[in-house]
Amino acid sequence: MPRASSKRKSSAPQNPPAVKSSNARSAGKAKAKEIENFFDKYANGGIIDPDGIVTLCKDLELEYTDVRILMLAWKLKAVKLGYFTQDEWETGLKTLQVNNLSKLKKAISELEKEVRTPPNFADFYSFAFRYHLTEEKQKNIDIETICELLNLVLGPQFRRQVDLLIDYLKVQSNYKVINLDQWLGIFRFCNEISFPDLENYDETQAWPLILDNFVDWLRENHR
């Protein structure tokens, strides 16, 4: 049997840490530039405006009113309805690890699953209201817009409740607008109250008055 050689095999040369760090910085800069170019494709005057979002929707093959566009706004932490700033876009897309249209299409599909988890959905539901406060110091949203939002945001999960609530909101005359507490109360109602029997609804609990009225309307008209 031949004797094993005592000579050690030379290991493959490795890049020194400084080279690895430089490569990582270069890759990061390249991705950042791709995200910036992606932004510029839809931006007008340094911001993506409603026209830019319409174009983005077409490229994503989504309707402008698709809830997934609202989910994207949530992920970008967008502040102004119908607009994405460059900072919102770049920060959000880095979080999503997206730098082009193809990746964004895939990310939006995954984003929908992310939003549907209970903690995230509660935050998204609250965001949907705040995002539609379009005027400075505005605290309420008109009934027509609320009905559209309920259908878009809560409808897929609570179709029967939402349809009846929208019916009620359209025929009642006591409320012209809805505030955040009432909006959040609707979400709690859909999650907690047995429907359609309403057996566990207790008017003595801290429900917004509009929901007490809704329950009275239900009992009178849908028994």
Side-chain angles (χ1 to χ4, degrees):
M1 179 179 294
R3 294 177 59 185
S5 172
S6 61
K7 186 178 180 180
R8 294 181 180 178
K9 294 182 179 180
S10 60
S11 58
Q14 296 182 351
N15 289 331
V19 173
K20 290 183 178 179
S21 177
S22 176
N23 290 342
R25 283 197 299 270
S26 297
K29 288 181 180 178
K31 287 184 178 180
K33 185 61 177 177
E34 289 172 353
I35 292 174
E36 182 181 342
N37 291 340
F38 192 21
F39 174 83
D40 290 340
K41 181 178 179 181
Y42 303 103
N44 179 26
I47 193 169
I48 298 177
D49 60 13
D51 288 339
I53 292 180
V54 167
T55 302
L56 175 64
C57 289
K58 289 179 180 178
D59 288 348
L60 291 171
E61 299 176 353
L62 297 174
E63 295 293 329
Y64 185 78
T65 55
D66 194 300
V67 70
R68 286 170 289 185
I69 298 301
L70 186 58
M71 290 175 177
L72 178 61
W74 170 78
K75 192 66 177 180
L76 299 184
K77 294 181 171 61
V79 173
K80 186 176 180 181
L81 179 65
Y83 294 83
F84 297 151
T85 68
Q86 185 165 358
D87 183 62
E88 290 167 349
W89 180 266
E90 293 180 354
T91 302
L93 262 59
K94 285 177 184 176
T95 301
L96 288 169
Q97 298 183 317
V98 163
N99 56 3
N100 58 48
L101 182 64
S102 176
K103 289 182 180 179
L104 184 57
K105 284 183 177 181
K106 294 178 181 178
I108 284 182
S109 178
E110 293 301 313
L111 179 59
E112 187 170 13
K113 298 175 186 175
E114 178 185 341
V115 170
R116 295 298 179 189
T117 60
N120 286 336
F121 189 80
D123 187 67
F124 170 68
Y125 180 81
S126 178
F127 166 83
F129 184 93
R130 291 182 280 103
Y131 189 53
H132 284 78
L133 297 173
T134 56
E135 303 294 332
E136 187 177 356
K137 297 183 179 180
Q138 181 183 349
K139 295 182 178 180
N140 306 307
I141 297 177
D142 65 274
I143 290 294
E144 182 179 355
T145 301
I146 286 292
C147 290
E148 293 173 358
L149 271 180
L150 285 171
N151 186 57
L152 187 69
V153 176
L154 275 190
Q157 287 181 261
F158 303 102
R159 176 51 59 197
R160 182 62 174 156
Q161 293 97 314
V162 167
D163 284 348
L164 287 170
L165 180 57
I166 289 174
D167 288 346
Y168 166 71
L169 290 174
K170 288 181 177 179
V171 299
Q172 61 81 36
S173 57
N174 294 322
Y175 298 89
K176 302 297 184 184
V177 295
I178 294 292
N179 62 36
L180 180 59
D181 285 342
Q182 293 164 332
W183 175 256
L184 296 177
I186 291 170
F187 182 56
R188 178 187 159 208
F189 177 91
C190 289
N191 275 286
E192 297 181 9
I193 300 305
S194 174
F195 202 87
D197 57 68
L198 308 170
E199 285 184 355
N200 61 335
Y201 188 83
D202 183 353
E203 289 88 347
T204 65
Q205 298 299 313
W207 291 104
L209 182 58
I210 192 171
L211 288 173
D212 289 340
N213 295 343
F214 173 52
V215 168
D216 289 342
W217 178 82
L218 283 174
R219 287 171 172 163
E220 289 176 6
N221 296 278
H222 293 274
R223 283 294 187 181

